[in-house]
Each structure stands twice: as C-alpha cells, then as structure tokens.
Amino acid sequence: MTISMYKSSVPIFVQFLTSLSGVLDKAAAYAEARKVDPAVLLNTRLAPDMFPLVRQVRAATDHAVNACGRLSGMDMPTFSNSETTIPELKERIAKTIDFIKGLKPAQIDGSEDKEIKITFPSGATREFTGQSLLLNNSLPNFYFHCTTAYDILRHCGIELGKRDFMGSPVSL
Amino acid sequence: MTISMYKSSVPIFVQFLTSLSGVLDKAAAYAEARKVDPAVLLNTRLAPDMFPLVRQVRAATDHAVNACGRLSGMDMPTFSNSETTIPELKERIAKTIDFIKGLKPAQIDGSEDKEIKITFPSGATREFTGQSLLLNNSLPNFYFHCTTAYDILRHCGIELGKRDFMGSPVSL
C-alpha cells in the first residue's frame, strides 16, 4: 500500500459524502419529529452572506465531482442545481458517490503532474497540477462545505456528534 | 513531483494554520474596533455542546502536531492548554508551524505503512497505518476544527471570506 492520487481522493470523498448523507437523514428525522418544515433547515445560514445548508451540500458534491472528473478526464455527471429537499440532496450525493466509485485507480493514479486549467464563473483562470488541485484546493473546499453543513445543523439543535461527521473509512 | 506523505501533510498543515492565524488577526481587529472583549469571541460556540472558538483552535493545532509527530516519530512540542487570548492562540499556532516546518521530507516520507497505535483519553485504543491516520483521521479532523473556527467568527459577524480560510499554498 502506497499513498497515491486515488487513495487520497476516491475513498476519502466516498467516506465523507456517505457521512454527509447520514447527517441529512438525522436532519430529516428531526424535522419530522418536531413538525418542522425541512426547508427551514435547508435555508439556514450561519451568516447572511454565507451559503445556506442546501448550497453547502451542493458545493461539497461539486468539489468531489470536479476533482475526480478533472483528475481522471472522465465525463462528469451533471446536476439540476435545483434541489430543494433532503431527498433530492441525498439523490445528488448518491449520484456523486456512484460516479466516484466507478473510477478505477488507474484512471486517477499518475495524475499528480497533470496540468489542469480551470476557468471560474468570473472568467478568471487558474492553473493547477493534479496534486495541487486535489491537496490545496478540492479537499480543503470539500471539507469546508461538509463541515459547514454539519455546523449549520448542530447550530439548529440537531443531535449530531463528531462520529456522524467522520463516518467510516471505506475499502476501495 | 510525486504525491507523498510529506507533500500530503506538512505544506497543507502550514497553509491552513497560517490562514487560521490570519483569521484570528481579523477577529482581534474586529474586537478592537467594536470595543468587544475578545474573550466573547473565543468563548462563542455554535451549539452548547460544541467546543468554543478557543478549543477549536487548540484542536486544530493538536491534530496537526500529533499527525506530524506520529508520522515522523519526532518529539512533539507541548502546550499549556491554558491559552485564553488571541495572542496566546497565535503563539500556539506559531509553535505548531515551527515544529512542522522543521520536519524534513525524509522524516515523513515512507511512513504510509507505519503502524501507529493511539490510546485515547477514554482508554480506548485504535490502530492506524500512517496513511489511514493522515488521510482518514488527522486531515479531516484538522479541517473540521479550522472550518468551525472560521464558521464561529462568521456567525459573530466578523468580515471574513473564503480566501481567508484558504490562505496560500506554501512551497516546502
């Protein structure tokens, strides 16, 4: 076993996307038990100019899909970006996991020096190597949005613990 | 350039510890401008049973120090764990960065299969390989606490943006 681009990406994204889906299950159960509209949770933000929960979840899946798609060069799944319910978000996460799990180590490994140029919505471009994209950009952003999704729900009073965030390592 | 345990740990921890220190600078500036006791910020939590900001920062440094110390086998710096001010927390972060920056690639590389057994405060033990410790445990926990520190300050109204969280990649 050696460290590789595959080991540093695919099983990690799958682990934390799976735990994110489980965190949403607990949010759904809370909403049902308290007769709270789940939309209230999905629209909660920690600050007026931060993304609400629904966008935190979308962003987490985007970073995972984009990282794995760019490293592997495979066609990426697309999303409607109109998800407004917990089941829709869970479906988006499941679609992301399916895509990532479908990648073979040979499709990701060796991508550390791959030149990757990203054009942002603003029109600005930034050049990465596969390694700098994954380690300095995709993973930190992915964790940022998974953590903030968790933090929003903790702030709302949903009973969650660190284990719900961490999930379980997957063998891939 | 190939992916390695060193590349996946040292420059990443240094990047995000540096940005965390910068985030605390903005918190200090906010407190001074608004005549708010910085202790108010440091004791803010997103939920009653979550760590306040001061503990989020301590936890981030702990995960970085413990990961690098366990992977390299080097003596780790110790902390008083009594930091209660922003300057004290920044000093703790600086001490952490000094320790991590002092490690050479040869001290970390090749540790992916190293057997690491951790005894938790509860007495429970868990066995890791160097790779599983870093990728499945230390980095996610590190990002969790850095993000939550940022989220607490955003929730308090401090003007911060994603760039403050991301910081800049470091060449090491």
Side-chain angles (χ1 to χ4, degrees), chain A residues 1-3 12 15-16 46 49-50 113 131 136 140-141 143-145 147-148 151 154-155 162 166, chain B residues 1-3 15-16 46 49-50 113 131 135-136 140-141 143-145 147-148 151 154-155 162 166:
Chain A
M1 184 174 75
T2 55
I3 191 163
I12 302 300
Q15 174 178 343
F16 288 91
L46 292 175
D49 57 346
M50 283 183 82
D113 294 330
Q131 179 168 284
N136 299 100
N141 273 294
Y143 282 124
F144 177 92
H145 293 292
T147 301
T148 303
D151 283 348
R154 289 288 263 113
H155 188 59
K162 194 69 168 298
M166 293 297 288
Chain B
M1 185 174 76
T2 56
I3 192 162
Q15 174 177 344
F16 289 92
L46 292 174
D49 57 347
M50 283 183 84
D113 294 332
Q131 178 168 283
L135 300 184
N136 299 99
N141 272 294
Y143 282 124
F144 178 92
H145 293 292
T147 302
T148 302
D151 282 349
R154 289 289 263 115
H155 188 60
K162 194 70 168 298
M166 293 296 288

Side-chain angles (χ1 to χ4, degrees), chain B residues 48-63:
Chain B
D49 57 347
M50 283 183 84
F51 279 163
L53 175 58
V54 62
R55 294 289 300 273
Q56 299 291 347
V57 175
R58 286 190 210 154
T61 59
D62 283 340
H63 283 289

